Amino acid sequence: MGSALSQVSRSLPSRDTNKLNLPPRPPSVCQPCWEGPFAAHLGLFSPPLHYRGRGGYSYTTSLAALEARAAEGCSWCSLLLSLRTSMLDVDLEYSGRRTEQFKVAMGCADPQDNRGIYTPAHAQQFQVKLDRTCVLDGHVHAAKDDPAAAWIVARSPLGDVGSSRSLALAKKALDDCVHGHPRCMFVSRSSNTRLPTRLIDCTEPDHPHLRATDGEDGRYVALSYVWGEPDRTYQTTSANVAAYIDRIDPSKLPLTIRDAIQVTTALGIPFLWVDALCIIQDSPEDKLHEIGRMHNIYRYAHLTVIAASAHKVSDGFLQPRLPAQLSFPFLCHPLSRASAPQNAGHAHAKSHRVGEIHISPKYMVNVGRDFGHGQVSEPTNARGWCMQENLLSARVLVFATHTLRFACHSAVRATGDSLCRPAEYDARLPSALLRALFSLPPSPLPPSPISPSPPPSPLSPSPPHPPQDWAPILDAWLGIVQRYTRCALTFPSDKLVAISAVAALFHTVLRTAYVAGLWRSTLPFDMLWLRRTAHTPPRPRPRPAEYRAPSWSWAAVDDPVFFSCHFQYNAVSGYDAQEAPLVDVVRCAVTHKDPRELRFGEVLDAVLGLRAALVPCRLDPGLAYVGIPWHGQRGRAVVSGVEAEGLPKGSVDECRIPVVSPTLSLGSHIVVLDCPNEAGLDADIWLVPLVRFAARSVEGIIVTWAADSLLHQSQSRHRRVGYFRISFDWVQALGWDVDNLDKVDIELV
């Protein structure tokens, strides 16, 4: 592609020739702009812009000139005027330079900056710089039938997502995946599969009805959406299930479900699964049975339709999209077949033509980031159940805010070869897990240095995987949990339930006990989670009033969490030799609400027995620090201050770790309280070191007495209240022998 664009650049006439042979100027730009930047194709085919000011196309102008031409109706001068004014308003450095001339540079960004992010490949990334400051960064696209398509790689995103043309393109993308993607054909069923208990029969879209499948095989579409409103009148209940088997009146269904029926029919698939209609909502037994099989419902669906743009079920998702883009005329010079860019919409043009290009900004100085087709905050992205449904699905058709996207295990693309930036929420199940599930037979985790592994699950009696597969699988789980904790749930009790199907898939490979969101064989590492203050509301959420998980599980808090560790696996010793657990797991008992149907779901009680060191400390919210009396070879030796690099200074009798409430972050020292405003933090508090990361840090949890410790007539029952990390340099300077601390048996609840 790069060589083709170079040929285009070489085929352009000189600027003097451009001035003599330009077609009539469009009314949307002024004559100087038409003869300057637009005659030069906005610098798109010049050498890429360089941060030192080289490359692209540039010229000099002033604020007064922009104001005059913008008043005459020039869209380009209006844009530059807006950008320059915003730049002057936000940057004091330029505040006294309103009358000065300045340099405008524009052109393509370095192609290396775009590699592997946007599709299609080599989509042109356009930037505008004023005096070397980037004020606009976005991607260029053109309509398929526009003359500019001969020069522009990416097609414009589809706006008419519900049209027969768009749905035909979606069907083509689906068929290409089913029949042409070897990876997808290997890891997902492309033919008929065992159908869920009930489905909506869409073969007659004007007369849909509920159908009991009785173990039949076939193909179906699953719907992922946000209900988002209190009215649940048209859900299936014990009272209306018989009537729905006869007929469902589509006019009474919420618009999102009606749209899903339309899409299912257009794709030529007979059945649709929607939780509100295919699960009997007032039957606890039916809900439990179906939720326990959720991983199969979405995993084996021929396609999952994601109503990403709909805030509530009555919104629908097939409305025309309004593009978030800037539009400008584009001068199309005569272009030979040999110099036409790859993927061009027109092979060649014999005369000057004026087309139109569009720029979808991902950054504008007067708007900010996440503008246009970047990381859009779709309603479904913020919901826990929707995240699980997306992850489990082999193929998804995403009706996003700006366009229509198709994602599978091989690629994420916008339909019609249009501009697409895959978002974090387009991520599929990790490759390491898919390899373990489908390429190689699963096996238990390697023996843990902290406790014997539980017996293998009867689900997967198979030879072992290569050891190197375990680290990426475990890391992938932690990444999924981090994303999941940023999502919301209608019912807080679903915290573990709404990710249980994903956990079941990981368990098929890991085959170690799943304990309230953590894995038994890696418990010391899994407990190293902390409240993610960067994604936390201004006021951290209180600890939930109703029990749903033990205090040592990330599921016990409502704020987003972050895991501090990443797994490194050593083929000889199991765990990376640099990572040494400092505790022994003595026992772990978890009581599930329904161990038969939801072995990975709701928890009623959990107790973790550890043999661990308890290092006394104290919390003084008034002074906003945690003081730690260390007991090591040097006795009660602590320091009073911390140098900039995190090393101790002085030699006194008390250590204080300063903390900016509710979070300490000083160099490599961190203390984060799980729920800073909860009661009981003025009681006795201890540090429990969990893991030593050699030459780096010691990390662990902060605990206090459990509320029921006296009821159990035991002084060993504790609950977690926070996380800490202390640099290993500091630990060594204090003479704290972390590998030989006295240990006691404690219980964490």
Side-chain angles (χ1 to χ4, degrees), residues 17-185:
T17 306
N18 283 342
K19 289 184 179 180
L20 296 175
N21 296 289
L22 293 179
R25 171 181 61 88
S28 60
V29 295
C30 63
Q31 192 67 31
C33 287
W34 185 238
E35 295 177 353
F38 285 91
H41 293 84
L42 300 176
L44 287 171
F45 304 107
S46 302
L49 281 176
H50 190 271
Y51 73 95
R52 293 185 180 274
R54 298 193 299 268
Y57 173 83
S58 62
Y59 63 99
T60 300
T61 187
S62 66
L63 205 60
L66 292 179
E67 289 173 342
R69 294 168 186 165
E72 295 173 359
C74 178
S75 59
W76 180 253
C77 289
S78 295
L79 172 65
L80 293 184
L81 177 63
S82 172
L83 297 173
R84 181 65 174 177
T85 303
S86 297
M87 182 179 172
L88 294 171
D89 289 343
V90 302
D91 196 332
L92 295 178
E93 178 185 351
Y94 296 97
S95 60
R97 299 167 57 180
R98 291 182 176 272
T99 60
E100 295 181 12
Q101 290 191 328
F102 56 92
K103 180 181 177 181
V104 181
M106 67 204 72
C108 277
D110 188 333
Q112 298 297 319
D113 296 339
N114 184 37
R115 185 169 54 187
I117 300 177
Y118 278 81
T119 59
H122 308 292
Q124 289 121 324
Q125 181 178 350
F126 178 70
Q127 293 181 341
V128 175
K129 296 183 178 182
L130 305 184
D131 286 338
R132 297 189 183 181
T133 299
C134 184
V135 293
L136 170 63
D137 188 358
H139 280 78
V140 186
H141 49 90
K144 182 180 180 180
D145 56 355
D146 192 279
W151 302 76
I152 304 302
V153 175
R155 303 286 70 82
S156 294
L158 297 174
D160 55 342
V161 296
S163 68
S164 56
R165 177 179 73 98
S166 295
L167 295 178
L169 288 171
K171 186 177 187 304
K172 182 180 184 302
L174 174 61
D175 292 341
D176 288 347
C177 172
V178 170
H179 303 296
H181 291 174
R183 177 186 177 88
C184 296
M185 294 164 66

Side-chain angles (χ1 to χ4, degrees), residues 239-324:
N240 63 19
V241 62
Y244 279 7
I245 288 176
D246 180 57
R247 183 177 184 271
I248 300 173
D249 184 353
S251 66
K252 295 183 178 180
L253 290 176
L255 184 55
T256 292
I257 298 178
R258 298 206 306 270
D259 285 351
I261 292 173
Q262 178 181 334
V263 172
T264 301
T265 304
L267 296 176
I269 300 173
F271 303 119
L272 171 66
W273 189 89
V274 182
D275 58 354
L277 293 174
C278 298
I279 299 175
I280 301 176
Q281 297 297 314
D282 61 349
S283 169
E285 296 79 10
D286 195 66
K287 291 178 71 173
L288 196 62
H289 181 272
E290 295 302 311
I291 291 174
R293 285 151 181 76
M294 195 72 71
H295 60 293
N296 285 334
I297 291 173
Y298 282 93
R299 181 177 168 189
Y300 295 127
H302 195 67
L303 175 75
T304 295
V305 168
I306 300 182
S309 62
H311 289 269
K312 54 186 184 297
V313 70
S314 60
D315 285 349
F317 57 87
L318 294 182
Q319 301 91 340
R321 271 44 175 175
L322 297 176

Side-chain angles (χ1 to χ4, degrees), residues 162-224:
S163 68
S164 56
R165 177 179 73 98
S166 295
L167 295 178
L169 288 171
K171 186 177 187 304
K172 182 180 184 302
L174 174 61
D175 292 341
D176 288 347
C177 172
V178 170
H179 303 296
H181 291 174
R183 177 186 177 88
C184 296
M185 294 164 66
F186 190 71
V187 303
S188 60
R189 299 180 182 179
S190 56
S191 58
N192 292 347
T193 187
R194 180 65 57 87
L195 297 175
T197 307
R198 300 175 198 87
L199 290 166
I200 303 170
D201 190 327
C202 303
T203 51
E204 296 182 61
D206 294 332
H207 300 85
H209 63 92
L210 204 60
R211 175 171 173 174
T213 62
D214 298 323
E216 297 175 53
D217 291 344
R219 296 182 305 154
Y220 64 96
V221 170
L223 177 65
S224 179

Side-chain angles (χ1 to χ4, degrees), residues 52 144 156 182 200 225 244 265 308 322 352 394 424 453 470 490 496 510 589 600 634:
R52 293 185 180 274
K144 182 180 180 180
S156 294
I200 303 170
Y225 66 108
Y244 279 7
T265 304
L322 297 176
H352 286 99
E424 174 189 17
S453 295
W470 294 113
T490 302
L496 288 169
L510 299 177
F600 305 94
R634 293 168 54 182

